[in-house]
Amino acid sequence: MRRLRRGGRTKITPYLVNNRTDRKEVSNPEVTVIVPYYNSKGYIERLLQSVSEQSHQDFRCILVDDGGSDGTFELVSETTKGDPRFLNLKRPEGFKPGGRGSKHFGFTCCESHFDVFFDSDDVMYPGYLRDRLAYLKANPEKL
């Protein structure tokens, strides 16, 4: 089972790629979901749907494209259009290619107290964030 990690970063980065005028800011969400992806067009929509249907709605989902060429970035941008909780970014050249570099970049963009990493082919059950946050708040020694 994935574990939420305690964050607490407030670093703002200039690497935002899809700054849309229809996007309302989500300020200081309680939890951030970080999803690196590479050529995930065939299955990332399932993850996006499962994250958007979470019973705990105070979250930000940062999706980081690792330079894929199958059109996943455009698909994610279109799928999450109008939902301010989702932020679709491209990994800048200053971060190493691969999942680790994309995760690191996503981590530097977090502004929440808790964060969790998911892979692009994962699916989140509807109460995942609620249940994990409740557990960690009830058991702070696990942080």
Side-chain angles (χ1 to χ4, degrees):
M1 184 173 263
R2 297 190 190 287
R3 179 179 162 167
L4 287 171
R5 297 181 337 152
R6 188 177 214 146
R9 290 152 311 282
T10 57
K11 183 176 182 179
I12 304 296
T13 177
Y15 300 116
L16 305 182
V17 173
N18 64 340
N19 301 359
R20 291 184 240 146
T21 56
D22 65 336
R23 181 174 299 282
K24 296 176 185 172
E25 287 303 313
V26 176
S27 60
N28 298 325
E30 188 171 21
V31 63
T32 300
V33 179
I34 301 168
V35 182
Y37 65 88
Y38 179 83
N39 289 345
S40 304
K41 193 173 184 176
Y43 41 83
I44 199 165
E45 285 181 286
R46 285 184 353 163
L47 171 74
L48 296 173
Q49 181 177 355
S50 71
V51 173
S52 68
E53 294 173 352
Q54 286 296 297
S55 56
H56 181 83
Q57 293 290 305
D58 186 17
F59 69 87
R60 160 68 57 94
C61 183
I62 298 175
L63 299 119
V64 182
D65 182 10
D66 192 38
S69 59
D70 71 343
T72 307
F73 182 81
E74 292 78 13
L75 174 69
V76 170
S77 293
E78 185 60 34
T79 304
T80 61
K81 185 177 182 179
D83 191 337
R85 300 170 300 174
F86 290 87
L87 187 59
N88 189 26
L89 309 172
K90 291 190 177 191
R91 177 192 47 77
E93 293 297 319
F95 289 82
K96 290 185 178 183
R100 179 175 275 177
S102 295
K103 284 180 182 180
H104 183 142
F105 173 62
F107 190 69
T108 63
C109 298
C110 288
E111 295 179 352
S112 62
H113 190 65
F114 298 101
D115 60 272
V116 61
F117 293 96
F118 265 75
D119 293 327
S120 60
D121 60 348
D122 289 341
V123 175
M124 226 184 254
Y125 70 85
Y128 177 81
L129 294 177
R130 179 198 64 222
D131 295 348
R132 296 308 297 160
L133 285 168
Y135 175 79
L136 289 173
K137 289 177 180 178
N139 301 285
E141 71 279 1
K142 301 289 184 182
L143 293 175

